[in-house]
């Protein structure tokens, strides 16, 4: 079931139902000039999307999967979700005055929260200046975010990296690495994760080979030639 509470003359809401399975999608737009696009192949269960104010944007690319949660976008903010991303239940995306961007093929476990805002302003007494401005968040291609991870404003998750359970990310990670802790710190470099738990080699998973090719220039020089030789026949 899809529930839409919005003035569709003032807001552009497009849902492509081709090859989709949508069981509980609530959409609310309070304002005008907002855009929501959900491309084909989406699998959505109990997701709430709110566009608050004017000129906000949510774009969900083909094949996205949501198991429950909420997206709140306000004050000319945006959320852009790449191809085939998967989100566990209790998802919370809060974009205010900034953007949240996901690359393709990301996977998020349950209870993950991303926030571009602290929700309440903090002012310097002497200058009356707001000191906690909103900042965008970027999660690049093929990232794995563990259960109950919090990703705060300004964070950048680099390609093919992983974040461990209960971690808090406040800064920029490195590609092909594992980060964990609060705040998250580097645990292991020169690694790549897999969605499959029964493979014995990363060459057995085509999606890994795809991203090793795409981001070969980010592989450390000492490993690059060896990895390129392994994947060149695929």
């Amino acid at each position: 079931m899809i529930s839409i509470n919005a003035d569709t003359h003032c807001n552009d809401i497009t849902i492509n139902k081709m090859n989709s399975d949508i069981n509980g999608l609530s959409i609310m737009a309070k304002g005008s000039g907002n855009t929501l696009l959900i491309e084909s192949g989406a699998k959505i269960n109990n997701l709430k999307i709110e566009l608050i104010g004017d000129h906000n944007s949510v774009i969900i690319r083909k094949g996205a999967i949501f198991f429950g949660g909420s997206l709140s976008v306000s004050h000319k903010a945006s959320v852009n979700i790449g191809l085939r991303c998967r989100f566990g239940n209790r998802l919370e995306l809060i974009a205010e005055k900034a953007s949240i961007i996901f690359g393709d093929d990301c996977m998020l476990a349950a209870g993950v929260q991303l926030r571009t805002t602290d929700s309440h302003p903090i002012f310097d007494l002497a200058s009356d200046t707001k000191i906690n401005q909103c900042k965008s968040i970027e999660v690049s291609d093929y990232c794995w975010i563990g259960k109950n991870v919090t990703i705060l404003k300004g964070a950048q998750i680099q390609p093919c990296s992983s974040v461990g359970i209960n971690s808090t990310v406040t800064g920029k990670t490195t590609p092909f690495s594992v980060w964990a802790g609060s705040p998250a710190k580097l645990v292991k470099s020169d690694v790549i994760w897999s969605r499959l738990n029964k493979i014995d080699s990363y060459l057995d998973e085509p999606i890994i080979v795809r991203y090793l090719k795409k981001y070969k220039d980010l592989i450390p020089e000492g490993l690059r030639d060896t990895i390129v030789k392994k994947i060149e026949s695929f």
Side-chain angles (χ1 to χ4, degrees), residues 2 6 11 74 85 90 98 116 119 141 145 150 161 170 176 184 186 220:
I2 301 174
N11 299 283
S74 62
C85 289
R90 296 184 287 111
T116 70
S119 296
D141 292 330
I145 311 299
T150 299
S161 57
T170 60
F176 299 107
L186 179 64

Side-chain angles (χ1 to χ4, degrees), residues 147-151 163-169 179-182 184:
K147 187 176 181 180
N148 295 330
V149 166
T150 299
I151 301 175
V163 180
I165 239 179
N166 294 325
S167 298
T168 301
V169 183
W179 291 65
S182 184

Side-chain angles (χ1 to χ4, degrees), residues 141 159-160 175-176 190 192 208-232 234:
D141 292 330
C160 307
F176 299 107
D190 306 334
I192 194 165
I208 293 180
V209 175
R210 180 197 312 164
Y211 284 110
L212 286 172
K213 288 182 176 180
K214 181 173 181 178
Y215 292 107
K216 63 182 180 182
D217 291 341
L218 297 181
I219 298 173
E221 289 186 9
L223 285 173
R224 190 177 305 152
D225 288 345
T226 301
I227 301 300
V228 169
K229 287 179 181 178
K230 283 186 176 184
I231 63 177
E232 63 185 3
F234 286 83

Side-chain angles (χ1 to χ4, degrees), residues 13 53 55 79 122 135 179 209 221 225 231 233:
I13 297 175
H55 305 294
V79 170
I122 299 174
K135 295 180 182 178
W179 291 65
V209 175
E221 289 186 9
D225 288 345
I231 63 177
S233 61

Side-chain angles (χ1 to χ4, degrees), residues 2-206:
I2 301 174
S3 171
I4 300 176
N5 181 8
D7 186 345
T8 54
H9 295 289
C10 299
N11 299 283
D12 183 4
I13 297 175
T14 303
I15 303 172
N16 189 333
K17 297 180 183 179
M18 182 179 295
N19 300 320
S20 296
D21 182 8
I22 300 176
N23 181 25
L25 173 60
S26 172
I27 299 166
M28 180 183 68
K30 292 183 177 180
S32 63
N34 296 297
T35 300
L36 170 62
L37 170 63
I38 301 177
E39 293 187 344
S40 62
K43 292 178 172 55
I44 296 174
N45 185 54
N46 295 327
L47 180 66
K48 182 179 181 180
I49 300 176
E50 295 182 338
L51 300 110
I52 302 169
D54 303 332
H55 305 294
N56 299 292
S57 172
V58 174
I59 298 175
I60 299 173
R61 298 297 180 189
K62 291 181 180 179
I65 299 175
F66 294 87
F67 289 100
S70 63
L71 281 67
S72 177
V73 188
S74 62
H75 300 93
K76 299 181 180 179
S78 64
V79 170
N80 195 326
I81 292 170
L83 299 169
R84 300 174 299 274
C85 289
R86 304 180 184 184
F87 299 88
N89 62 9
R90 296 184 287 111
L91 172 71
E92 189 174 10
L93 302 184
I94 301 175
E96 177 183 326
K97 297 181 181 179
S99 61
I100 296 175
I101 300 173
F102 287 91
D104 298 336
D105 295 301
C106 294
M107 186 165 71
L108 282 69
V112 174
Q113 178 182 182
L114 287 82
R115 303 176 65 94
T116 70
T117 174
D118 297 329
S119 296
H120 301 286
I122 299 174
F123 294 95
D124 177 75
L125 285 176
S127 63
D128 193 19
T129 301
K130 182 180 176 180
I131 62 174
N132 60 336
Q133 301 291 336
C134 300
K135 295 180 182 178
S136 295
I137 295 171
E138 183 175 357
V139 181
S140 192
D141 292 330
Y142 197 61
C143 290
W144 173 27
I145 311 299
K147 187 176 181 180
N148 295 330
V149 166
T150 299
I151 301 175
L152 297 179
K153 62 182 189 177
Q156 298 179 47
I157 314 296
Q158 296 296 292
C160 307
S161 57
S162 310
V163 180
I165 239 179
N166 294 325
S167 298
T168 301
V169 183
T170 60
K172 184 177 181 179
T173 72
T174 51
F176 299 107
S177 61
V178 178
W179 291 65
S182 184
K185 296 180 180 180
L186 179 64
V187 174
K188 181 70 175 175
S189 297
D190 306 334
V191 294
I192 194 165
W193 67 282
S194 171
R195 289 180 175 176
L196 307 177
N197 61 5
K198 295 182 179 180
I199 62 172
D200 295 318
S201 166
Y202 57 72
L203 297 177
D204 294 333
E205 189 169 1

